[in-house]
Amino acid sequence: MKRKWIIVGLFCLFILFSGCASIQREIKDTKSDWAGGLDRVITVYDENGKVIKTYSGKIDLDPDTTGGKVKFELNGKRIIIYNATIIAEEK
């Protein structure tokens, strides 16, 4: 009986906060973590704005804000990019 009320309470909270943008972002982040990433296109630019490389696929980004690097895995390979401008777009 107690478990039923917990589930009902969680469902009510979900409905209450489902319209909140920050909650929707958290849900998307959690979905990305659990599903191994989101369908994204990653474009890497040099300092002059020219495209160095483009990656496309199911990608879960792991940005390191202190070290100036971005790392992710694509097709079973780890990719680490240092000191470059990165644009990540969802498909």
Side-chain angles (χ1 to χ4, degrees):
M1 187 70 164
K2 190 175 185 180
R3 181 177 176 184
K4 178 182 174 183
W5 285 111
I6 291 172
I7 292 171
V8 169
L10 289 174
F11 180 75
C12 290
L13 285 173
F14 176 77
I15 296 298
L16 178 66
F17 290 114
S18 64
C20 181
S22 63
I23 297 297
Q24 289 176 349
R25 284 189 294 272
E26 279 297 321
I27 290 170
K28 187 170 261 191
D29 288 345
T30 302
K31 179 182 171 186
S32 176
D33 287 343
W34 287 356
L38 298 173
D39 284 327
R40 292 184 168 132
V41 175
I42 307 291
T43 308
V44 183
Y45 297 92
D46 68 6
E47 65 272 359
N48 297 320
K50 294 185 180 182
V51 175
I52 297 173
K53 183 138 182 159
T54 301
Y55 301 94
S56 179
K58 196 167 192 174
I59 299 171
D60 185 26
L61 290 173
D62 183 16
D64 179 4
T65 57
T66 60
K69 69 179 178 180
V70 173
K71 67 180 177 179
F72 57 92
E73 290 187 18
L74 182 63
N75 300 327
K77 295 183 179 181
R78 171 79 44 107
I79 299 166
I80 302 173
I81 302 168
Y82 294 94
N83 301 321
T85 301
I86 311 275
I87 296 180
E89 298 178 80
E90 284 185 45
K91 289 184 182 178

